[in-house]
Amino acid sequence: MNVLLVIPRRDAYSILSAPDIGVAYIARAALNTGAKVEVLDAHKEKMGYDEFKHHLKKKRYDLIAFKCLSMDINVVLNYCRAVKEIDQKIITVLG
């Protein structure tokens, strides 16, 4: 299973300069099950909708999970739309 874990781009200033430990825990758990895991920090990469959609076309994912705080919901919903435009069968998870 190919898994993509996404930290969304934020319009607001993010004071977290360290890697996201929660995403790291999820990545390790998925790796322990045999999944192939990629972490995409769209905030660090300054990745908007078009760049995210272009990234999705490079590889086939079975599951895409998004870190989603209240302030992230609009960006994450747009990312989800991009996922479903490419392949309706990709499982999307927010948390």
Side-chain angles (χ1 to χ4, degrees):
M1 174 177 273
N2 289 324
V3 176
L4 177 64
L5 303 177
V6 181
I7 300 168
R9 182 173 183 179
R10 293 196 169 122
D11 294 330
Y13 175 73
S14 175
I15 61 170
L16 300 175
S17 60
D20 190 299
I21 194 71
V23 173
Y25 281 134
I26 293 169
R28 173 49 56 195
L31 286 167
N32 287 344
T33 69
K36 295 177 184 173
V37 179
E38 178 183 338
V39 177
L40 174 62
D41 189 339
H43 182 71
K44 180 181 173 186
E45 301 296 327
K46 297 179 175 42
M47 187 175 285
Y49 176 85
D50 292 332
E51 296 90 354
F52 179 71
K53 193 170 179 180
H54 178 73
H55 180 83
L56 294 179
K57 292 178 180 179
K58 294 179 185 177
K59 187 173 179 184
R60 186 188 177 286
Y61 297 101
D62 301 299
L63 183 143
I64 300 177
F66 298 91
K67 176 177 181 169
C68 188
L69 303 176
S70 298
M71 66 182 189
D72 302 326
I73 192 67
N74 290 329
V75 172
V76 170
L77 288 175
N78 282 333
Y79 286 167
C80 287
R81 285 183 193 97
V83 170
K84 296 305 179 176
E85 285 175 14
I86 290 171
D87 186 348
Q88 290 279 328
K89 295 177 186 175
I90 298 173
I91 299 165
T92 52
V93 179
L94 285 67

